[in-house]
Amino acid sequence: MNTLEIMKDVHWVGAIDWDLRDFHGYSTEKGSTYNAFLVIDKKTTLVDTVKKKFSEELFARIREVNPSGRIDYFVLNHAEMDHTGSLPEVFRAFRPEKIVCSAPCRDAIIEHFGKNDWPFHVVRTGDTLSLGKRTVRFIETKMLHWPDSMFSFLEEDRLLISSDAFGQHFATGERFDDEVDPSELMKQAAKYYANILLPYSGLAAKLLESIKAMGLKIDMIAPDHGLIWRKGVTDILKAYGDWSSQKVLPKAVVAYSTMWDSTTKMAAAVADGLISQGIEVKAADLRGWHRSDVMTELLDSGAFIVGSPTLNNGYLPAVADLLCYARGLKPLGKIGAAFGSYGWGGEAVKLLNEELERMKVELVHQGVRVRYVPTPEDLENCRLMGVEVGRTLRERLGS
Ligand code: FEO
């Protein structure tokens, strides 16, 4: 099995999940990897494990690079099953002296596996562990992505093993960032942030500040999913700075669904108005767009405009799906509006406005609704709504 020595005596021994297509409602069209690392030192140490169904891959890779056949320490950066599913098997095989993790990680592992007699060694931010020639410094990263998450920094190697943070669901035969298409890599990193870490942006921003204050010199960032950053360390840190501050661009998402294409025509007119103000537009017909791709576009968009016809005194299921998902991910700092057609009743726009306000989207237009089929005048009103949203966004951005 292919392994890779990512730096001297630090081996990638993880697994590639080529087939993963859904991660809790997030479409993972590129698959994923579960990265685990074996550090050969006086105390041979396994940092993280893999999803249960990939245990054999993990064992095979460990066998290939671990002549002693012994593992002294396990370090667990995160308790979620994609990184600990194989833990009971690897524990039985190697019986390590210590399982090093945060206190919430220990508690979660005990609750998941019922193993409170394992040799847990709890660490907190700033604690270190000597492996022999090298020292590991631990940094708790609460809620990135669970309460138990932490980073492990191999000081002498300047290697930050970062668990979910800086990851991408991106299955490749390559292991390093500079071996793949950089725009695809950054797109997958943004998708990961938008769909996993966005709700914890405040904590992510504080973490970036504290890493800066610690003065860590980082040559390589090895997340537990996807490619390892060696050329793009500065780029991914900067991107996380932008994403965690929820910095927005002159960009708008127009997300909608339709029954008989009246709302589609309205969406096109809204987009036209936005474009006239120099706004980059992503018009997403939710019959074809996946909710997680809409979130990726919404990450750096300053405006969120939603359209649906009225159906059964509500709005279409595809729109409800997106709004439910987006509300949980807590995007901030957006302006917005709503639109849609109706035959009778016509509640959708009012309900969409209420939902956008619940999401803390600032409404800058009362919305447009049209009966049955938009007339040229109706479409002009839609276009003017786009103009209004676009102009307001430009003013807010000072551009
Ligand atoms: Fe990759 Fe939160 O687990």
Side-chain angles (χ1 to χ4, degrees):
M1 285 235 125
N2 291 322
T3 59
L4 186 73
E5 190 172 23
I6 64 166
M7 42 177 65
K8 184 159 171 40
D9 292 332
V10 180
H11 300 266
W12 176 84
V13 292
I16 306 173
D17 190 346
W18 299 101
D19 299 330
L20 186 76
R21 289 295 177 269
D22 176 84
F23 189 87
H24 313 160
Y26 159 0
S27 72
T28 50
E29 71 279 0
K30 297 278 182 191
S32 194
T33 71
Y34 312 109
N35 298 336
F37 303 93
L38 191 74
V39 185
I40 309 290
D41 206 322
K42 189 169 167 206
K43 294 292 185 184
T44 293
T45 299
L46 178 65
V47 183
D48 297 325
T49 72
V50 299
K51 208 176 198 176
K52 185 176 169 53
K53 74 187 245 198
F54 295 97
S55 299
E56 275 311 310
E57 273 196 44
L58 176 70
F59 277 115
R61 291 194 165 100
I62 290 172
R63 273 195 297 271
E64 211 165 291
V65 295
N66 186 23
S68 77
R70 192 190 79 239
I71 299 181
D72 303 290
Y73 299 156
F74 288 178
V75 171
L76 305 180
N77 283 317
H78 181 20
E80 194 165 9
M81 299 293 100
D82 45 346
H83 309 293
T84 60
S86 60
L87 183 60
E89 282 175 72
V90 282
F91 182 84
R92 272 196 302 279
F94 295 104
R95 300 277 163 188
E97 259 172 66
K98 290 180 183 179
I99 297 180
V100 182
C101 61
S102 68
C105 183
R106 173 203 57 199
D107 297 346
I109 293 293
I110 290 171
E111 291 196 48
H112 275 95
F113 299 113
K115 299 288 185 189
N116 58 8
D117 57 345
W118 283 358
F120 292 105
H121 175 86
V122 167
V123 290
R124 305 188 62 172
T125 293
D127 287 353
T128 58
L129 178 73
S130 171
L131 307 187
K133 284 186 267 178
R134 54 172 61 74
T135 305
V136 189
R137 174 180 297 274
F138 302 100
I139 302 161
E140 290 172 276
T141 60
K142 193 176 168 64
M143 297 318 296
L144 302 173
H145 148 237
W146 276 10
D148 54 84
S149 298
M150 70 175 190
F151 289 169
S152 296
F153 183 59
L154 276 57
E155 291 186 331
E156 292 77 5
D157 304 296
R158 298 181 170 199
L159 167 64
L160 184 70
I161 301 179
S162 62
S163 190
D164 283 338
F166 311 116
Q168 332 91 43
H169 283 311
F170 194 2
T172 62
E174 294 76 24
R175 299 273 68 81
F176 289 111
D177 57 346
D178 50 44
E179 299 173 321
V180 300
D181 173 2
S183 63
E184 183 63 34
L185 175 64
M186 202 46 94
K187 181 180 143 196
Q188 293 301 331
K191 184 167 184 176
Y192 192 93
Y193 189 91
N195 287 277
I196 302 273
L197 300 178
L198 184 60
Y200 313 114
S201 289
L203 292 168
K206 278 190 194 146
L207 177 67
L208 292 172
E209 282 304 312
S210 66
I211 287 176
K212 205 183 280 177
M214 284 177 210
L216 299 187
K217 300 271 187 282
I218 302 170
D219 286 347
M220 199 180 279
I221 298 177
D224 275 3
H225 296 290
L227 284 301
I228 296 166
W229 303 91
R230 68 175 171 192
K231 185 171 179 215
V233 169
T234 309
D235 296 340
I236 191 64
L237 287 170
K238 180 181 179 315
Y240 264 58
D242 290 344
W243 298 333
S244 62
S245 67
Q246 302 225 28
K247 179 180 167 185
V248 298
L249 302 173
K251 176 175 166 186
V253 168
V254 181
Y256 65 96
S257 192
T258 191
M259 290 165 72
W260 298 108
D261 278 337
S262 290
T263 304
T264 305
K265 289 176 187 147
M266 296 173 77
V270 172
D272 206 34
L274 288 158
I275 291 164
S276 75
Q277 299 304 301
I279 304 293
E280 179 189 342
V281 176
K282 298 292 174 185
D285 180 341
L286 298 172
R287 294 172 302 178
W289 276 66
H290 194 274
R291 65 180 86 82
S292 52
D293 293 316
V294 178
M295 282 311 302
T296 310
E297 296 299 342
L298 194 57
L299 177 62
D300 58 2
S301 290
F304 186 30
I305 305 176
V306 183
S308 175
T310 297
L311 175 74
N312 301 331
N313 307 110
Y315 40 81
L316 286 174
V319 179
D321 176 294
L322 173 67
L323 292 176
C324 173
Y325 186 70
R327 186 171 68 235
L329 290 167
K330 300 187 173 67
L332 295 177
K334 319 288 182 203
I335 61 172
F339 62 94
S341 67
Y342 69 102
W344 56 98
E347 295 91 338
V349 169
K350 176 173 171 285
L351 293 172
L352 290 174
N353 278 342
E354 288 170 4
E355 186 56 30
L356 288 170
E357 284 188 312
R358 260 196 293 278
M359 288 176 60
K360 299 188 167 46
V361 173
E362 183 192 347
L363 297 178
V364 295
H365 191 283
Q366 78 276 13
V368 179
R369 60 177 204 153
V370 306
R371 190 169 158 94
Y372 289 123
V373 177
T375 63
E377 190 187 359
D378 291 329
L379 291 177
E380 177 60 9
N381 286 336
C382 291
R383 193 189 72 80
L384 290 174
M385 184 171 89
V387 169
E388 179 65 22
V389 175
R391 190 167 48 221
T392 308
L393 181 55
R394 282 274 176 211
E395 281 167 14
R396 298 285 169 86
L397 295 174
S399 60

